């Protein structure tokens, strides 16, 4: 059972117990009678669980970066916040959009449910990538360069800082790239040959790629992301933990995600 489903279930159970007590049990208790423990817990936890559910479902949700596919923008051990209302308000568990608030823009870093399932009952897996192609775009990837509707996306070489020695593959190159309003850094490995080709993004879908271009499992391999799979827009690193050193990476705390 997913975390949102557990939260909805807990809200329903604690709220129901509290309501039943308010309507039926409490009026029959003596004034000096002690409140049942189950009612006390339900009354105490119901507003807390409800608040957490509302915040996670409609405002912001925490997410941990599990892989290096978004290096150098995001590192393994980064804990980020995802804006849940950037692309529409959705009901928890059902994922049904009830209010439209916007659409992904080119260059946005988005969290989404992995669109490929071998079985319908497989659990949802959250991925994070950058939006490269919008509905109707013709997206190509050749010689480490993105082509959008036939036009190459320019890249400018950058010097790799010493801080990237442990997180970037040997021989990789750091480059700056502009997608929409987002100017960001990417990593490429000139000696590595990856999937190349061209595709037209279907309506209601998005073509996504990782910033660590030669170490990312993305739309080049499994296709586009349906709009209904979007979870939200990543916007802030609120904590970062270096698993090698076993400590907090202080200079990444509060870093906005471009």
């Amino acid at each position: 059972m997913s975390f949102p489903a557990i939260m909805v279930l807990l809200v329903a159970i604690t709220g129901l117990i509290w309501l039943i007590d308010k309507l039926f049990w409490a009026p029959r208790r003596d004034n000096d009678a002690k409140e049942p423990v189950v009612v006390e817990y339900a009354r105490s936890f119901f507003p807390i669980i409800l608040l957490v559910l509302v915040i996670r479902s409609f405002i912001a949700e925490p997410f941990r970066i599990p892989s290096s596919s978004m290096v150098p923008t995001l590192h393994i051990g980064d804990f980020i916040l995802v804006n849940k209302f950037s692309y529409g308000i959705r009901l928890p568990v059902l994922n049904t959009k009830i209010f439209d608030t916007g659409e992904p823009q080119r260059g946005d870093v988005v969290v989404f449910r992995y669109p490929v399932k071998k079985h319908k009952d497989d659990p949802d897996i959250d991925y994070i990538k950058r939006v490269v192609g919008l509905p109707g775009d013709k997206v190509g990837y050749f010689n480490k360069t993105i082509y959008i509707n036939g036009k190459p996306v320019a890249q400018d070489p950058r010097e790799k800082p010493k801080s990237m020695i442990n997180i970037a593959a040997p021989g990789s190159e750091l480059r700056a790239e502009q997608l929409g309003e987002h100017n960001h850094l990417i990593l490429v490995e000139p000696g590595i040959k990856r999937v190349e080709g061209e595709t037209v993004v279907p309506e209601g879908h998005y073509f996504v790629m990782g910033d660590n271009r030669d170490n990312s499992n993305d739309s080049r391999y499994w296709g586009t992301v349906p709009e209904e799979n979007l979870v939200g827009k990543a916007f802030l690193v609120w904590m970062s933990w270096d698993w090698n050193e076993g400590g907090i990476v202080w200079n990444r705390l509060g870093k906005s995600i471009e």
Side-chain angles (χ1 to χ4, degrees):
M1 184 179 290
S2 66
F3 184 79
I6 293 173
M7 296 297 292
V8 169
L9 183 61
L10 289 175
V11 166
I13 292 173
T14 55
L16 184 60
I17 292 173
W18 190 11
L19 180 62
I20 292 174
D21 179 72
K22 199 77 172 177
L23 296 177
F24 302 104
W25 299 339
R28 299 178 184 178
R29 281 199 300 269
D30 295 335
N31 292 334
D32 57 348
K34 188 176 181 180
E35 187 179 61
V37 174
V38 66
V39 175
E40 181 182 353
Y41 279 127
R43 178 173 53 80
S44 299
F45 285 109
F46 171 74
I48 299 173
I49 298 172
L50 179 61
L51 179 62
V52 172
L53 178 64
V54 170
I55 292 174
R56 286 183 59 106
S57 300
F58 305 118
I59 301 175
E61 181 177 358
F63 181 80
R64 182 178 67 85
I65 302 302
S67 74
S68 63
S69 70
M70 283 298 292
V71 170
T73 303
L74 296 169
H75 302 175
I76 296 176
D78 281 351
F79 292 80
I80 68 171
L81 288 178
V82 178
N83 186 326
K84 295 300 292 286
F85 56 85
S86 291
Y87 309 135
I89 304 298
R90 296 179 183 273
L91 293 175
V93 182
L94 298 177
N95 294 313
T96 302
K97 185 185 287 189
I98 56 176
F99 191 72
D100 195 2
T101 58
E103 299 175 347
Q105 301 300 306
R106 198 185 317 281
D108 284 0
V109 177
V110 299
V111 173
F112 55 93
R113 295 187 306 280
Y114 182 52
V116 180
K117 284 187 174 185
K118 293 182 179 179
H119 305 285
K120 65 177 182 179
D121 295 328
D122 286 350
D124 289 327
I125 301 173
D126 287 339
Y127 270 39
I128 182 166
K129 305 291 178 188
R130 189 178 297 277
V131 174
V132 172
L134 304 178
D137 280 346
K138 183 169 68 173
V139 179
Y141 189 71
F142 303 97
N143 299 320
K144 312 297 181 182
T145 301
I146 295 171
Y147 290 78
I148 299 176
N149 300 320
K151 297 180 180 180
V153 176
Q155 297 177 356
D156 297 316
R158 293 286 189 271
E159 184 176 350
K160 260 193 312 190
K162 292 182 179 179
S163 59
M164 291 189 63
I165 292 177
N166 294 328
I167 63 173
S172 60
E173 296 181 359
L174 186 67
R175 301 176 183 178
E177 184 181 74
Q178 182 84 31
L179 281 173
E181 297 181 354
H182 298 272
N183 188 287
H184 58 280
L185 297 174
I186 64 171
L187 275 178
V188 298
E189 297 180 51
I192 301 295
K193 184 75 171 179
R194 297 299 187 196
V195 171
E196 295 187 340
E198 194 172 60
T199 186
V200 176
V201 183
E203 288 300 319
H205 286 239
Y206 297 89
F207 192 97
V208 298
M209 294 177 66
D211 289 345
N212 194 353
R213 292 288 158 77
D214 293 303
N215 293 280
S216 174
N217 181 23
D218 51 40
S219 288
R220 291 171 292 177
Y221 299 90
W222 39 255
T224 54
V225 178
E227 187 274 339
E228 59 266 23
N229 283 49
L230 295 174
V231 173
K233 178 182 178 181
F235 70 95
L236 182 74
V237 178
W238 64 271
M239 212 275 279
S240 184
W241 183 267
D242 188 329
W243 296 103
N244 294 320
E245 299 294 333
I248 296 174
V249 185
W250 294 101
N251 63 354
R252 293 190 61 77
L253 272 61
K255 182 180 177 63
S256 60
I257 299 173
E258 293 295 334

